[in-house]
Amino acid sequence: MLEKAIKGNILYWGWIFFLLAIIGVGAGAYLMQLEHGLGITGLNRDVSWGFYIAQFTFLVGVAASAVMMVIPKYLHNFKAFGRMLILGEFLAIAAVSMCLMFIIVDLGQPARLMNVILHPSPNSILFWDMIVLNGYLFLNLLIGWVTLQSERKQVAPPRWIMPFIYLSIPWAVSIHTVTAFLYAGLPGRDFWLTAVMAPSFLASAFAAGPALLILLGLIVKAFAKWDPGKESIQALAKIVVYAMSVHLFIVLCKVFTAAYSQIPDKLYHYKFLYFGLDGHTTLATFSWVAIFAGIVAVIILLNPKNRQAENVLAFSCILILMSTWIDKGLGLISAGFIPNPMKEVVIYTPTQPELLITLAIWAKGFLILTILYKVAIGVKKEIEV
Amino acid sequence: MKSSRRKFIAMAGFAALGWSVCPSLTRAATEAGPKLYFKEEGSLEASQWAMAIDTKKLDRQIMNKCIEACHTLHNVPDIDSDQNIKWIWIEPFRNLFYDQSHPNLKNKANQPFLTLCNHCDNPPCVRVCPTRATFRRPDGIVLMDFHRCIGCRFCMAGCPYGSRSFNFYDPRIYLENLSHEYPTRSKGVVEKCEFCAHRLDKGQMPACVEASEGALLFGDLNDSNSDVRKALRERYSLVRKPKLGTGPKVYYLI
């Protein structure tokens, strides 16, 4: 089926080469990082995780979102998702691949990566994160490929794939839960030390992932001239608006706990996140944008009429992606480390090489996504002719 | 049995899967962390090493001497940025004990103290390390294996005391005079104070303790005749963030 990826029009190849160019530039920056170490990043002694780990955290959520189509399709026999499900599974593959790449570029000694397997440490959440991420990548590759292949042959998917599909449901939940546990169990990091960490991760994931899927569906419809179906887009839109509402509610719960208890350890981080400390207010500006974008998107999408207008829907999905990306991709990690254990404010700002490497991994993800979508839509069009 | 290419590939796949998963699983079950380390003749031994810092005896000069002794001996580079390396350094009282102080504590808030790794009883850094590059010795010293560390910096996120540093650069380019008593590190690994475990094994006291002119006491916490225990018996003392349950083993005599 892969041969479908090498036949495309000028727009397709232009896009591929555009992505390859970004990847090339980022690869150069990464070679520089390999040579000089993580000193080329804006990370420091106090903020020891930054942009790379934040992107990883955001993308785990995008990957987990495929389950929001698998559950209705396979547990509730919601047939409308059948048409679009493969897009969700292939998005998961691209997103998990990006997650793994972000972890690798974040390592100080990437050549020793295999030490995690050679000296396994089951008490480390990172060990389990490796297991669940790779497992989820494997599951989606297997399920996506096998179901697409049987679709092409116009036969029912083989029965042996069903256990894998059912397994992928709790597995999707596990990737985001385990990633939340990376942060949630650390003493002395009061911003992260909360039981709602995993639920809040899942809520924002089920908003961000399906929002991206809706946008991708609309892009596919416009550029590849293949319609993923109105019913599935509308069903996803409902999932997005409810998940986003839950996400905002959990944010409110976290802020209330810190603000009403007035425990300085808890409060400092929220002060930094929403108002800034020692005059460092850049992140606070972003945080308010995230809050307002999220609220506006929910207000728009709660009205069914707005959901049905594809332009309005696309706009709201962009707002939601912006909101959830700021929440996970900027705020969560920085505000967890600032202020530091000595209650000092040490600021982290990503550097140019760091941003180039980040951009290149996003481009790699989109390259994977484009190729997989080209194959999937090629097959879909072939059987519909 | 009818064989086919498809069956062969399936069998090969399962075999590869089993082979790659099983050795690591069996090892996970048996290897409970590094238990062996080599002791030299005449090494100092304890069931739980601990340090007591006499804050009344500390002054700038003594603190600088301690830092100098430690950082020179361990080839700790002097990097002038927030990507620096610190094994033992100076922090004001309010930063170390902000949860155990109040504004009217006379002149204490700004008083500078020494701080270093607390060699916790229940170290979060050890719990979170995915490769066991950091581990706790039976005598309570929390050590780093610089050759196993993958530089994920999970231990830095886990440490509630900010006691760990990361080699953002190759530290060797910042070193002018090399000490041959302790190895240099490479870029991309985490490091921290090791209570001079290598010196204890040779029968010597930690470098900072020797340089401290009696302001730092070091000994076996479980030995009621040790200097540390005697001091703890007689003086009021604090440890950092006791409510976190990490069991710090660096005591501040007030």
Side-chain angles (χ1 to χ4, degrees):
Chain A
M1 292 192 288
L2 266 177
E3 76 281 355
K4 296 204 182 301
I6 52 167
K7 284 179 223 150
N9 58 15
I10 184 117
L11 195 66
Y12 173 71
W13 285 109
W15 171 244
I16 296 276
F17 280 107
F18 170 69
L19 291 175
L20 285 173
I22 297 177
I23 293 168
V25 174
Y30 185 58
L31 284 180
M32 199 167 97
Q33 183 183 301
L34 274 182
E35 173 72 21
H36 297 288
L38 283 162
I40 65 149
T41 67
L43 294 167
N44 54 57
R45 205 176 170 280
D46 293 297
V47 187
S48 51
W49 283 337
F51 216 47
Y52 297 150
I53 291 299
Q55 303 312 300
F56 146 69
T57 309
F58 173 73
L59 285 165
V60 174
V62 171
S65 71
V67 76
M68 293 318 271
M69 291 166 90
V70 173
I71 291 175
K73 168 76 170 60
Y74 288 100
L75 294 189
H76 303 284
N77 200 20
F78 181 68
K79 292 210 171 60
F81 273 153
R83 198 168 156 79
M84 200 181 172
L85 183 57
I86 192 76
L87 299 188
E89 275 160 358
F90 281 175
L91 176 61
I93 293 171
V96 177
S97 308
M98 282 189 261
C99 291
L100 295 170
M101 286 187 273
F102 274 117
I103 294 177
I104 291 169
V105 297
D106 188 66
L107 293 181
Q109 288 283 342
R112 297 184 190 160
L113 179 67
M114 285 301 148
N115 276 4
V116 179
I117 294 161
L118 291 170
H119 309 286
S121 175
N123 49 347
S124 172
I125 303 295
L126 205 57
F127 170 79
W128 294 106
D129 213 34
M130 174 204 68
I131 303 244
V132 292
L133 285 176
N134 284 296
Y136 197 59
L137 181 62
F138 166 76
L139 278 176
N140 276 287
L141 273 171
L142 183 76
I143 296 167
W145 207 253
V146 168
T147 50
L148 189 64
Q149 221 167 18
S150 35
E151 215 172 304
R152 189 188 194 187
K153 290 177 192 151
Q154 305 196 351
V155 293
R159 295 240 320 248
W160 61 263
I161 198 73
M162 289 316 290
F164 289 100
I165 291 174
Y166 292 131
L167 179 65
S168 80
I169 294 171
W171 208 289
V173 176
S174 84
I175 63 169
H176 225 27
T177 304
V178 174
T179 304
F181 285 178
L182 287 179
Y183 308 103
L186 303 177
R189 304 282 176 192
D190 284 277
F191 187 65
W192 297 336
L193 195 68
T194 160
V196 295
M197 196 59 119
S200 98
F201 268 48
L202 285 167
S204 70
F206 295 155
L212 184 56
L213 258 176
I214 290 175
L215 287 175
L216 290 171
L218 296 177
I219 289 171
V220 160
K221 195 172 153 187
F223 286 95
K225 311 277 180 253
W226 179 78
D227 189 0
K230 194 161 178 65
E231 203 184 338
S232 53
I233 296 269
Q234 287 304 314
L236 278 177
K238 274 182 221 151
I239 292 171
V240 168
V241 63
Y242 290 125
M244 193 64 193
S245 311
V246 175
H247 168 65
L248 290 172
F249 173 68
I250 295 178
V251 170
L252 181 75
C253 292
K254 288 200 271 194
V255 170
F256 172 82
T257 310
Y260 196 78
S261 70
Q262 298 188 16
I263 299 172
D265 280 4
K266 283 262 172 207
L267 208 50
Y268 283 153
H269 297 281
Y270 285 95
K271 273 189 181 157
F272 171 68
L273 187 63
Y274 291 113
F275 302 103
L277 286 175
D278 292 2
H280 300 286
T281 51
T282 317
L283 190 62
T285 313
F286 276 106
S287 301
W288 284 108
V289 170
I291 294 287
F292 281 116
I295 292 175
V296 168
V298 167
I299 291 172
I300 295 176
L301 287 181
L302 275 174
N303 186 336
K305 280 211 179 92
N306 292 336
R307 284 203 301 268
Q308 278 147 17
E310 276 180 357
N311 292 338
V312 181
L313 177 62
F315 172 72
S316 313
C317 286
I318 291 170
L319 285 183
I320 282 181
L321 280 176
M322 212 162 77
S323 176
T324 46
W325 181 78
I326 293 172
D327 183 67
K328 293 275 170 320
L330 284 181
L332 180 82
I333 309 296
S334 279
F337 281 115
I338 304 169
N340 74 2
M342 316 275 179
K343 289 290 171 277
E344 294 162 323
V345 178
V346 180
I347 290 295
Y348 156 78
T349 318
T351 58
Q352 207 174 37
E354 199 176 356
L355 292 174
L356 288 176
I357 293 170
T358 303
L359 205 61
I361 295 180
W362 274 95
K364 273 191 211 170
F366 274 103
L367 184 68
I368 295 172
L369 190 72
T370 307
I371 291 171
L372 290 176
Y373 273 24
K374 186 83 176 47
V375 170
I377 290 159
V379 168
K380 298 264 186 190
K381 279 182 171 173
E382 187 184 280
I383 53 170
E384 280 165 20
V385 169
Chain B
M1 192 177 91
K2 208 183 138 204
S3 60
S4 66
R5 189 180 58 161
R6 188 168 289 208
K7 217 173 239 171
F8 173 77
I9 291 173
M11 294 293 278
F14 277 116
L17 189 71
W19 183 69
S20 59
V21 169
C22 284
S24 48
L25 282 184
T26 48
R27 203 185 300 202
T30 54
E31 190 192 67
K35 284 202 185 87
L36 286 173
Y37 59 95
F38 299 100
K39 275 193 204 128
E40 289 170 46
E41 201 75 21
S43 66
L44 296 176
E45 283 171 38
S47 54
Q48 172 67 62
W49 287 110
M51 182 183 278
I53 299 179
D54 190 338
T55 58
K56 280 187 180 153
K57 284 189 187 162
L58 279 186
D59 60 32
R60 278 274 168 193
Q61 203 194 345
I62 292 178
M63 287 193 282
N64 286 334
K65 265 191 188 171
C66 295
I67 297 170
E68 173 78 17
C70 168
H71 284 192
T72 315
L73 174 76
H74 296 109
N75 291 313
V76 175
D78 187 14
I79 301 168
D80 188 23
S81 78
D82 55 12
Q83 295 181 329
N84 55 346
I85 310 258
K86 298 189 276 196
W87 281 35
I88 176 167
W89 72 101
I90 298 173
E91 285 283 344
F93 176 86
R94 64 161 183 276
N95 283 9
L96 298 180
F97 300 104
Y98 64 86
D99 53 348
Q100 300 175 63
S101 65
H102 56 83
N104 300 323
L105 210 61
K106 60 168 186 182
N107 301 332
K108 264 276 187 282
N110 292 317
Q111 196 184 326
F113 283 1
L114 277 177
T115 189
L116 63 158
C117 170
N118 282 294
H119 294 274
C120 303
D121 236 356
N122 177 18
C125 54
V126 171
R127 185 158 65 241
V128 299
C129 178
T131 62
R132 302 164 203 241
T134 187
F135 55 95
R136 187 176 172 275
R137 282 203 326 192
D139 60 2
I141 299 183
V142 177
L143 282 184
M144 274 296 303
D145 182 339
F146 304 121
H147 300 283
R148 190 183 276 196
C149 175
I150 60 172
C152 70
R153 310 186 296 294
F154 206 165
C155 54
M156 295 176 84
C159 177
Y161 304 102
S163 292
R164 289 175 162 259
S165 305
F166 179 70
N167 285 284
F168 285 97
Y169 304 96
D170 179 359
R172 288 158 196 148
I173 52 179
Y174 293 90
L175 294 169
E176 280 168 20
N177 304 311
L178 281 184
S179 145
H180 297 289
E181 225 183 292
Y182 197 80
T184 57
R185 275 75 65 195
S186 58
K187 67 168 184 281
V189 299
V190 170
E191 60 179 74
K192 63 167 198 78
C193 153
E194 304 200 325
F195 261 0
C196 281
H198 57 108
R199 283 172 68 88
L200 296 174
D201 292 347
K202 281 189 285 192
Q204 296 167 314
M205 285 303 244
C208 58
V209 175
E210 273 187 2
S212 71
E213 300 175 13
L216 305 188
L217 306 171
F218 194 75
D220 189 349
L221 190 66
N222 296 332
D223 174 3
S224 57
N225 291 319
S226 73
D227 288 352
V228 171
R229 274 292 288 278
K230 276 186 207 154
L232 292 180
R233 233 181 348 253
E234 288 155 14
R235 301 269 297 273
Y236 180 68
S237 62
L238 292 175
V239 292
R240 291 179 62 195
K241 305 185 182 182
K243 71 162 188 175
L244 298 184
T246 56
K249 288 293 164 274
V250 173
Y251 297 81
Y252 291 82
L253 305 172
I254 304 299

